[in-house]
Amino acid sequence: MFERARRILQFITTGTILAIAAVVCFVLWDYYTAAPWTRNGQVRVQVADIAPRVSGQIIAVRVRDNQFVHAGDILYEIDPFDFKVALATATAVVNQRKADMALKDTQEFRRDKLTDAAASREEKQVYQATADIAKAAYAQALANLSQAKINLDRTYVRSTVTGYVNNLIMRVGDYATAGKSNIEVIDASSYWVDGYFEETKIRSIHVGDRVRLDLMGYREPMWGHVVSLTRGIATANAATATQGLPSVDPVYTWVRLAQRIPVRVQIDSIPPGTQLAAGMTSTVTVVGSKGKRAHDTLTEALDRMHDALMGGTGGSGLRH
């Protein structure tokens, strides 16, 4: 009788341990494979590559590295001497063309009032055309003057966004080339987070889902929401080889690793004292309305586990 009770107790103990182990395995499975979260997240930001519109030597740098600037603030100055000369020249040409136009208009007006006996129709047409040419030349001079004025104003290179000067390496004496960026400003209002989720978790993520963002080095989380899911990533098998034919890797491994798909998260709230910098690492977790992690239902988790086991041992690696 005692021996029988001892065996029953052993069976119960063993069964209890196995049940606890099964629950622990299931919870760990759901935590690491089913629930939509990833440690592979990164803070991203838009950067304005600012290039001068005119070329010249830099005579003054108005900002420091990492300085906060507003849109329209002057970043640096280009030597304005040549552009002042061009403006003075354009102004003189405008005055000259204006006087010439007035003269040609007067001549055309006088000829037009004469009779055909005093001035032929052909002569009148010549003076009218001359007056029109003078008007066109004056309009061109005005356009050149406007260009000279704006070129002079462009010797002051201004920030196009509100944010932080980044990686400033220019100095007085450097030569600025028109159209070639030489200073970058981070747009302070453009921070977002990219979460790189395994493809097996993408089906549980939807646009508008609430997201918790835990930055490495900060205890207080940020909050945001999903704004988009990337629709394509690069593949090595898309590269072309001889004669433009696709190059396909013949190696097909037994264990297939899930691809990572970027999910873009807009930041809605940032705790006080948190200083964002592009490139920071973040844990990205899709949560419910109460701020808790979103999990699959029991049926969905079991189906996912069954699919993973069948995919890993179904012999597809042997048949293909």
Side-chain angles (χ1 to χ4, degrees), residues 100-110 131-132 134-135:
D100 184 63
M101 180 184 66
L103 175 62
K104 299 297 174 53
D105 280 343
T106 301
Q107 291 176 340
E108 187 271 334
F109 178 78
R110 290 176 178 175
D132 291 340
K135 291 178 182 178

Side-chain angles (χ1 to χ4, degrees), residues 179-201:
K180 184 178 180 181
S181 62
N182 55 6
I183 189 170
E184 290 75 32
V185 179
I186 292 177
D187 188 349
S189 63
S190 67
Y191 283 98
W192 80 93
V193 172
D194 272 344
Y196 304 101
F197 286 86
E198 294 176 344
E199 56 185 312
T200 54
K201 299 179 182 179

Side-chain angles (χ1 to χ4, degrees), residues 141-197:
L142 288 176
N144 292 337
L145 178 61
S146 297
Q147 186 66 60
K149 288 180 178 179
I150 196 171
N151 284 344
L152 179 59
D153 181 68
R154 286 171 177 170
T155 59
Y156 296 96
V157 180
R158 305 174 185 272
S159 177
T160 57
V161 297
T162 298
Y164 300 91
V165 178
N166 188 57
N167 194 29
L168 181 64
I169 57 176
M170 69 164 53
R171 55 167 294 172
V172 173
D174 288 348
Y175 190 85
T177 303
K180 184 178 180 181
S181 62
N182 55 6
I183 189 170
E184 290 75 32
V185 179
I186 292 177
D187 188 349
S189 63
S190 67
Y191 283 98
W192 80 93
V193 172
D194 272 344
Y196 304 101
F197 286 86

Side-chain angles (χ1 to χ4, degrees), residues 197-226:
F197 286 86
E198 294 176 344
E199 56 185 312
T200 54
K201 299 179 182 179
I202 290 299
R203 68 179 182 181
S204 301
I205 302 174
H206 308 89
V207 173
D209 285 349
R210 194 180 183 204
V211 176
R212 172 173 171 153
L213 305 167
D214 293 281
L215 293 176
M216 186 180 296
Y218 290 94
R219 291 185 177 181
E220 292 294 324
M222 301 188 301
W223 297 93
H225 66 277
V226 176

Side-chain angles (χ1 to χ4, degrees), residues 10-302:
Q10 287 178 343
F11 284 135
I12 293 176
T13 303
T14 303
T16 302
I17 293 174
L18 291 176
I20 294 174
V23 171
V24 171
C25 290
F26 178 78
V27 171
L28 291 176
W29 173 274
D30 178 66
Y31 186 84
Y32 284 103
T33 64
W37 76 287
T38 179
R39 288 194 180 97
N40 192 3
Q42 194 171 51
V43 178
R44 303 283 305 280
V45 75
Q46 294 284 353
V47 180
D49 293 324
I50 300 175
R53 303 289 295 274
V54 296
S55 298
Q57 190 176 40
I58 298 174
I59 61 172
V61 179
R62 296 281 194 91
V63 294
R64 304 180 307 275
D65 194 20
N66 301 316
Q67 179 179 334
F68 183 81
V69 296
H70 295 88
D73 287 351
I74 297 175
L75 301 176
Y76 63 91
E77 299 177 32
I78 295 175
D79 186 0
F81 179 79
D82 293 341
F83 302 98
K84 290 181 178 179
V85 172
L87 177 60
T89 302
T91 302
V93 171
V94 166
N95 295 333
Q96 177 187 4
R97 298 287 174 81
K98 183 178 181 180
D100 184 63
M101 180 184 66
L103 175 62
K104 299 297 174 53
D105 280 343
T106 301
Q107 291 176 340
E108 187 271 334
F109 178 78
R110 290 176 178 175
R111 294 303 186 280
D112 187 61
K113 295 300 182 182
L114 296 177
T115 63
D116 291 342
S120 65
R121 180 175 298 180
E122 180 180 1
E123 183 179 1
K124 293 180 180 181
Q125 290 175 346
V126 170
Y127 275 92
Q128 182 179 2
T130 302
D132 291 340
I133 292 174
K135 291 178 182 178
Y138 177 64
Q140 182 183 17
L142 288 176
N144 292 337
L145 178 61
S146 297
Q147 186 66 60
K149 288 180 178 179
I150 196 171
N151 284 344
L152 179 59
D153 181 68
R154 286 171 177 170
T155 59
Y156 296 96
V157 180
R158 305 174 185 272
S159 177
T160 57
V161 297
T162 298
Y164 300 91
V165 178
N166 188 57
N167 194 29
L168 181 64
I169 57 176
M170 69 164 53
R171 55 167 294 172
V172 173
D174 288 348
Y175 190 85
T177 303
K180 184 178 180 181
S181 62
N182 55 6
I183 189 170
E184 290 75 32
V185 179
I186 292 177
D187 188 349
S189 63
S190 67
Y191 283 98
W192 80 93
V193 172
D194 272 344
Y196 304 101
F197 286 86
E198 294 176 344
E199 56 185 312
T200 54
K201 299 179 182 179
I202 290 299
R203 68 179 182 181
S204 301
I205 302 174
H206 308 89
V207 173
D209 285 349
R210 194 180 183 204
V211 176
R212 172 173 171 153
L213 305 167
D214 293 281
L215 293 176
M216 186 180 296
Y218 290 94
R219 291 185 177 181
E220 292 294 324
M222 301 188 301
W223 297 93
H225 66 277
V226 176
V227 292
S228 65
L229 284 76
T230 297
R231 297 305 181 95
I233 59 175
T235 172
N237 286 337
T240 57
T242 306
Q243 297 179 338
L245 301 177
S247 176
V248 179
D249 190 352
V251 178
Y252 191 83
T253 57
W254 175 262
V255 178
R256 290 175 293 175
L257 299 178
Q259 297 288 345
R260 295 280 179 165
I261 307 298
V263 175
R264 184 163 180 151
V265 178
Q266 179 176 319
I267 302 172
D268 296 329
S269 64
I270 303 174
T274 300
Q275 182 173 324
L276 287 181
M280 280 183 166
T281 302
S282 173
T283 296
V284 183
T285 307
V286 178
V287 299
S289 58
K290 296 181 179 180
K292 301 292 184 64
R293 288 184 52 194
H295 296 266
D296 289 341
T297 63
L298 179 60
T299 302
E300 291 173 336
L302 291 175

